[in-house]
Amino acid sequence: MTRKSGYWLGKRVFVTGATGVVGSWLVRDLVEQSAEVVVLVLDANPQSDLYRSGLINRVTAANGCLEDFAALQRAIVGYEIDTVIHLGAQAIVDVAYRSPLATYETNVRGTWNLLEACRLHSDLVERVVIASSDKAYGEQEQLPYTEDMPLQGRQPYEVSKSCADLIAQSYFCAYGLPVAIARCGNIYGGGDLNWTRIVPGTIRSLYHGESPLIRSDGRYIRDYIYVKDVSSAYLMLAEHMDCADVRGGSFNFSPESRVQVMEIVNKIRHIMQCDHVEVTVLNEAKGEIRNQYLSSEKAKRVLRWAPTYTLEEGLKETIEWYLAFWRGKKP
């Protein structure tokens, strides 16, 4: 399987989470491929790349939130949506630890609301892509994670992703809803203004001549995947939803480069020529699994998917985006 040229021309696509880092890049890809995009927007955040880039003027904004079933149903029916890409979520582990109820409302209720709206209007909706996460697997005795492993989150954020993932599977198994689930590791790229995340936080600290902060002990192992590769993976899943091997399936997407947190900080320091700046290790992370990384063997075998960017290439582009952002230029 490969990406389908011209596939998105005239497709009516509903994107949740469009103001987030993945959402803004995915919306850009869809608009450039001539899709008719509708985005769910709760707050008009001027710092979001969706707004800063002017993309918001090239799409239709439907006001509402994931917890509002009527708003989701209104968007799907009113704009005759044929494709749904569900990225919307409370995606910060620390926030989930402090505020589990709000996280469950958004990540779990929001997912079943959206899927139920799609089920009720299955005469319109032909494909649904759900953005899950490696966190849905929880802590496993063996790594890397593979798609046949049970979803057994324990901490609030992990549980919210496990639940949303399982709910999506149930809508395929019980109702035949054309759903596919994407599970990625840590996504990085330009436009992420959540400075508690290791990549943007490190870049900002070094730009200002400050010591980067590591909340863990620096030895946690993670997958890091560039946002452009993630957007391409989500679109590939949607494009092949009519294939039996894809519809109802779950797919891990990862460059399969297992990196300690300290390693990625050091890579950023080196690219920014800031090797002399010391790193502060706080060792105070809570509610996080120590080691998480994915196998992409299934995505390679079924979809013929492979990442386009190496970690170094992705980090260089990401750093360039932030430098342009701070210098007042259009990234």
Side-chain angles (χ1 to χ4, degrees):
M1 298 180 186
T2 58
R3 292 293 308 279
K4 295 182 179 180
S5 177
Y7 181 85
W8 293 101
L9 177 63
K11 291 286 192 298
R12 296 178 297 277
V13 187
F14 184 42
V15 180
T16 70
T19 57
V21 57
V22 180
S24 60
W25 285 100
L26 183 130
V27 168
R28 185 189 307 274
D29 284 345
L30 286 168
V31 168
E32 289 176 351
Q33 295 174 60
S34 301
E36 298 174 14
V37 182
V38 179
V39 299
L40 181 70
V41 175
L42 176 60
D43 299 314
N45 180 2
Q47 290 299 304
S48 166
D49 203 47
L50 183 72
Y51 285 86
R52 290 185 67 259
S53 66
L55 272 174
I56 191 65
N57 299 317
R58 302 175 66 186
V59 302
T60 299
N63 294 321
C65 64
L66 290 167
E67 296 88 336
D68 185 349
F69 177 76
L72 299 175
Q73 191 167 221
R74 184 169 60 250
I76 289 171
V77 174
Y79 296 103
E80 298 183 300
I81 297 299
D82 55 56
T83 304
V84 173
I85 303 180
H86 179 39
L87 310 178
Q90 190 300 100
I92 309 300
V93 174
D94 282 354
V95 172
Y97 186 81
R98 294 193 304 270
S99 304
L101 177 59
T103 298
Y104 293 145
E105 287 285 347
T106 299
N107 295 3
V108 183
R109 181 191 295 274
T111 298
W112 85 51
N113 277 347
L114 183 62
L115 289 167
E116 179 65 4
C118 292
R119 182 186 75 84
L120 291 176
H121 303 287
S122 57
D123 57 321
L124 295 172
V125 179
E126 300 173 12
R127 59 198 70 82
V128 182
V129 174
I130 301 292
S132 184
S133 167
D134 59 349
K135 308 299 184 289
Y137 288 109
E139 196 158 11
Q140 303 279 347
E141 291 184 2
Q142 293 186 335
L143 292 172
Y145 295 133
T146 57
E147 290 86 350
D148 57 355
M149 288 180 171
L151 304 182
Q152 54 185 35
R154 293 293 180 265
Q155 296 291 336
Y157 182 70
E158 302 160 23
V159 169
S160 77
K161 301 308 287 186
S162 297
C163 288
D165 200 310
L166 288 167
I167 290 167
Q169 293 180 47
S170 77
Y171 268 82
F172 170 74
C173 292
Y175 308 110
L177 193 70
V179 175
I181 300 163
R183 299 172 185 154
C184 297
N186 287 25
I187 301 167
Y188 70 94
D192 187 356
L193 303 184
N194 188 321
W195 308 115
T196 63
R197 291 195 177 113
I198 193 66
V199 172
T202 298
I203 295 170
R204 186 177 72 160
S205 294
L206 294 174
Y207 178 76
H208 291 295
E210 300 168 355
S211 174
L213 302 179
I214 295 178
R215 292 181 297 105
S216 67
D217 62 7
R219 295 193 293 271
Y220 284 31
I221 296 175
R222 293 288 184 269
D223 268 332
Y224 294 90
I225 182 168
Y226 189 40
V227 65
K228 290 184 180 180
D229 282 328
V230 174
S231 178
S232 178
Y234 291 168
L235 295 181
M236 178 177 281
L237 275 184
E239 289 166 10
H240 295 285
M241 194 69 69
D242 57 342
C243 298
D245 288 344
V246 174
R247 190 171 55 255
S250 303
F251 293 84
N252 294 339
F253 295 101
S254 164
E256 298 184 327
S257 56
R258 305 162 189 176
V259 183
Q260 287 190 345
V261 174
M262 183 62 79
E263 288 182 67
I264 199 163
V265 170
N266 287 337
K267 286 179 183 293
I268 295 170
R269 290 165 70 210
H270 182 70
I271 294 169
M272 296 183 69
Q273 300 180 355
C274 293
D275 297 278
H276 59 284
V277 179
E278 295 296 324
V279 179
T280 300
V281 179
L282 300 175
N283 196 18
E284 61 182 23
K286 293 181 179 179
E288 293 195 35
I289 297 170
R290 188 166 188 86
N291 298 327
Q292 293 185 297
Y293 46 91
L294 297 155
S295 165
S296 288
E297 189 278 331
K298 181 180 177 182
K300 293 175 184 176
R301 173 172 47 83
V302 175
L303 298 169
R304 298 292 185 264
W305 176 86
T308 301
Y309 292 83
T310 66
L311 180 58
E312 288 73 16
E313 290 168 342
L315 286 175
K316 286 178 181 177
E317 279 202 7
T318 300
I319 291 167
E320 289 170 1
W321 189 97
Y322 285 106
L323 294 179
F325 173 72
W326 287 313
R327 291 166 182 166
K329 300 176 182 178
K330 189 174 180 180

